Amino acid sequence: IVFGAVGTAGQRCTTTRRLFVHESIHDTVVDTLVKAYSQVEGKIGDPTLATTLMGPLNSPDAVQAYLAAIEKAKAAGGNVRSGGKAFTDRKGNFVLPTIITGLKNDDEVVQTETFAPILYVMPFKTLDQAIELQNSVPKGLSAAIFTQNLKAAEQYLSAAGSDCGIANVNIGTSGAEI
């Protein structure tokens, strides 16, 4: 999940930007992701260095779009759980990877591709609901399901499941397209 959301600083068509987590484990998953993101925060910088986990956004305009999306998310009731800021202590277009909870899938900011490392995390009750939520976005190049249930994986991959271009099982949304 972290690589899919943070890799290439969220600037890929296959970036993970919406994460639907079963309500029974939602809080645990969010807490785990926040801890993982804190490990990325100290390793943001020059993407040519082996120690770097996340590089810059591609332009100052991309930084402004990132900041504007975070403000829209807050205005819609979103809670920034991690990140949410641009770096001002260094030259370049560096931002913190961001996790936002408390929004609905149909909120405008959630439905908009920002091409920045912003992950919207939302709970779901049933697999059918999660698939419906996943499919209810105008764009859908890549999606993934993480499950130990073979029937759930098969349903997700079937004609009744994911309608995106690349459907993944137990692997992130980003990387397979290359």
Side-chain angles (χ1 to χ4, degrees):
I1 294 167
V2 174
F3 178 78
V6 173
T8 65
Q11 299 172 103
R12 203 176 218 169
C13 294
T14 55
T15 292
T16 305
R17 57 186 184 81
R18 297 177 306 142
L19 178 64
F20 304 110
V21 181
H22 192 270
E23 62 187 9
S24 67
I25 60 170
H26 178 271
D27 294 344
T28 301
V29 170
V30 170
D31 291 344
T32 301
L33 286 169
V34 168
K35 287 178 190 172
Y37 272 47
S38 72
Q39 295 173 17
V40 174
E41 288 178 11
K43 297 184 178 194
I44 298 171
D46 182 345
T48 65
L49 300 177
T51 55
T52 298
L53 293 179
M54 191 179 96
L57 294 182
N58 66 16
S59 69
D61 288 345
V63 174
Q64 291 309 310
Y66 160 88
L67 293 170
I70 291 166
E71 289 308 311
K72 284 180 187 175
K74 288 184 200 177
N79 303 308
V80 176
R81 299 292 305 273
S82 179
K85 297 181 178 144
F87 284 95
T88 56
D89 65 343
R90 62 187 79 175
K91 185 178 178 183
N93 304 307
F94 296 99
V95 300
L96 289 170
T98 301
I99 298 169
I100 299 176
T101 60
L103 294 174
K104 293 183 229 108
N105 187 54
D106 60 356
D107 285 327
E108 180 185 350
V109 70
V110 175
Q111 292 285 314
T112 302
E113 286 187 286
T114 306
F115 292 98
I118 301 172
L119 181 64
Y120 303 102
V121 185
M122 296 161 280
F124 73 89
K125 293 180 186 288
T126 68
L127 178 60
D128 287 337
Q129 179 193 25
I131 291 171
E132 181 181 327
L133 291 167
Q134 184 241 289
N135 290 341
S136 65
V137 66
K139 297 172 181 82
L141 178 56
S142 182
I145 184 173
F146 290 88
T147 183
Q148 294 178 336
N149 183 316
L150 184 59
K151 286 186 179 189
E154 288 176 347
Q155 178 182 346
Y156 181 76
L157 293 175
S158 75
S162 175
D163 70 357
C164 69
I166 305 168
N168 302 283
V169 175
N170 293 337
I171 189 168
T173 61
S174 194
E177 73 281 4
I178 56 173

